Amino acid sequence: MSVGAQQSNALDPESFKAIAELAYQESGLTLAQEKSSMIQSRLRHRLRDLGLPNFAAYSSLLQSDRGHEERRHLISALTTNVSHFFREKHHYDTLTEELVKRLPALREGGQMRIWSAGCSNGQEALSAAIALLEASPEIATLNLKILGTDIDPAVVQFARAGIYPERLMGGVPKPLIDKYFTEATPDGSERSFAAKPVLTQMIQFNELNLLARWPMSKRFDIIFCRNVVIYFDLQTQTKLWPRMKDALAPDGILFLGHSERIADPASFGFDCTGPTTYRPRVG
Ligand SMILES: C[S@@+](CC[C@H](N)C(=O)[O-])C[C@H]1O[C@@H](n2cnc3c(N)ncnc32)[C@H](O)[C@@H]1O
């Protein structure tokens, strides 16, 4: 490729600004100028697939009425979807302690609802299901449901398929792989594992933008919203906390990621009750 051609494919400052503003409005993602070259490399394939000559043309498309579908591809390309099974294990310990407390009510016909908000490829929701089944296999017959949601349609599709290449299975001990997954290696592909129905029947995966309206009517007993708000600025986080509190049952729990905090939790009606663990204030 000539130097001229390379330059025309570079993300110019004006297009960066337009793309960053759009990403912020659509999803709350904040893109720092220092990340410009990373964003350029994440979006180059979109220019190629669309046959566009440069980022100025791409940014015009995004801002046009025809740009709706491409804005979904943009968010998909810009989100960071890294996740792991049993990430931050202490939250799963708290989760199973809560299950034990709630088991008598569940046996009486009560329900328990868990939300993995920003679920990525689904490892968080599956980890919750495995932890709960390990604590009490009878929950498979009780009214316990897990909802996984994400803004990125690609990861939601992946999570629904429930098939994980071996490289994504780190964190799941071999006995649990044998118990909860079946080998499902497509011809000629990397060794892969499919989640068994005992897991998938507990979980539903849907697309949901945390900045948009939430259609769920029932409150959640546990919300995992981990390693999501780290990409949001304080203003977006500040708008999210009251909504999370409203979505939680009065005795519910909100888990955040290890580097995330609610600044001044009391002002949002939360108490911090453990590492990155929050409960609605009583009274
Ligand atoms: C780093 S992953 C975290 C996955 C998982 N919660 C964990 O901790 O392992 C962050 C996820 O948040 C999602 N996300 C980012 N902005 C979002 C928004 N506005 N609404 C919903 N999901 C969003 C991304 O698509 C991505 O899959």
Side-chain angles (χ1 to χ4, degrees):
M1 192 186 282
S2 72
V3 172
Q6 274 177 1
Q7 280 172 348
S8 72
N9 243 344
L11 177 54
D12 59 284
E14 210 171 305
S15 301
F16 172 82
K17 192 163 168 273
I19 289 169
E21 273 174 22
L22 205 68
Y24 183 71
Q25 282 160 15
E26 294 265 323
S27 68
L29 296 176
T30 50
L31 306 179
Q33 178 72 53
E34 311 87 81
K35 298 274 166 69
S36 180
S37 61
M38 183 194 83
I39 289 155
Q40 173 179 293
S41 68
R42 283 193 183 187
L43 292 178
R44 256 211 185 112
H45 74 281
R46 293 308 307 152
L47 270 67
R48 210 174 37 238
D49 291 356
L50 294 161
L52 293 173
N54 51 39
F55 275 98
Y58 184 61
S59 121
S60 298
L61 169 69
L62 286 170
Q63 291 171 82
S64 73
D65 292 343
R66 297 178 296 120
H68 173 75
E69 190 52 33
E70 187 50 34
R71 290 199 285 275
R72 284 161 58 86
H73 286 290
L74 172 78
I75 300 306
S76 190
L78 294 179
T79 48
T80 299
N81 306 121
V82 178
S83 190
H84 308 287
F85 281 100
F86 296 106
R87 192 177 201 182
E88 296 165 60
K89 188 183 162 295
H90 59 99
H91 288 152
Y92 297 99
D93 296 339
T94 307
L95 174 71
T96 52
E97 283 162 20
E98 285 301 308
L99 171 70
V100 171
K101 280 190 221 159
R102 289 159 199 255
L103 259 182
L106 275 168
R107 288 186 187 126
E108 294 287 308
Q111 59 178 351
M112 185 166 175
R113 287 166 50 81
I114 297 160
W115 180 19
S116 168
C119 63
S120 189
N121 289 326
Q123 290 104 315
E124 189 171 79
L126 283 169
S127 303
I130 295 171
L132 292 165
L133 282 163
E134 283 299 288
S136 172
E138 71 173 299
I139 60 151
T141 61
L142 300 176
N143 190 352
L144 190 152
K145 297 280 174 238
I146 302 175
L147 172 69
T149 64
D150 203 285
I151 194 173
D152 181 348
V155 293
V156 172
Q157 207 180 343
F158 185 103
R160 281 187 182 145
I163 298 176
Y164 294 84
E166 196 165 30
R167 77 194 130 81
L168 296 185
M169 293 296 290
V172 192
K174 170 98 173 54
L176 294 185
I177 294 182
D178 294 342
K179 192 165 168 187
Y180 292 106
F181 294 83
T182 47
E183 193 159 345
T185 307
D187 278 350
S189 296
E190 185 180 349
R191 193 169 182 221
S192 300
F193 297 88
K196 284 188 181 173
V198 67
L199 298 179
T200 55
Q201 69 196 11
M202 288 168 65
I203 310 172
Q204 192 181 348
F205 290 106
N206 288 336
E207 259 181 67
L208 180 75
N209 181 353
L210 287 172
L211 266 56
R213 198 181 74 81
W214 300 350
M216 302 84 81
S217 51
K218 291 187 184 150
R219 293 186 171 205
F220 293 93
D221 300 290
I222 309 282
I223 301 179
F224 288 81
C225 184
R226 306 185 310 167
N227 308 297
V228 179
V229 303
I230 192 173
Y231 303 103
F232 296 166
D233 64 8
L234 199 59
Q235 199 187 346
T236 306
Q237 292 184 20
T238 301
K239 287 187 191 148
L240 194 59
W241 305 136
R243 299 184 72 198
M244 285 286 171
K245 176 149 182 292
D246 286 348
L248 262 183
D251 59 349
I253 303 181
L254 168 66
F255 296 128
L256 301 183
H258 66 283
S259 58
E260 298 166 330
R261 298 282 176 279
I262 301 181
D264 191 10
S267 69
F268 295 101
F270 281 108
D271 282 323
C272 182
T273 58
T276 54
T277 302
Y278 297 86
R279 291 177 192 255
R281 288 206 129 184
V282 181

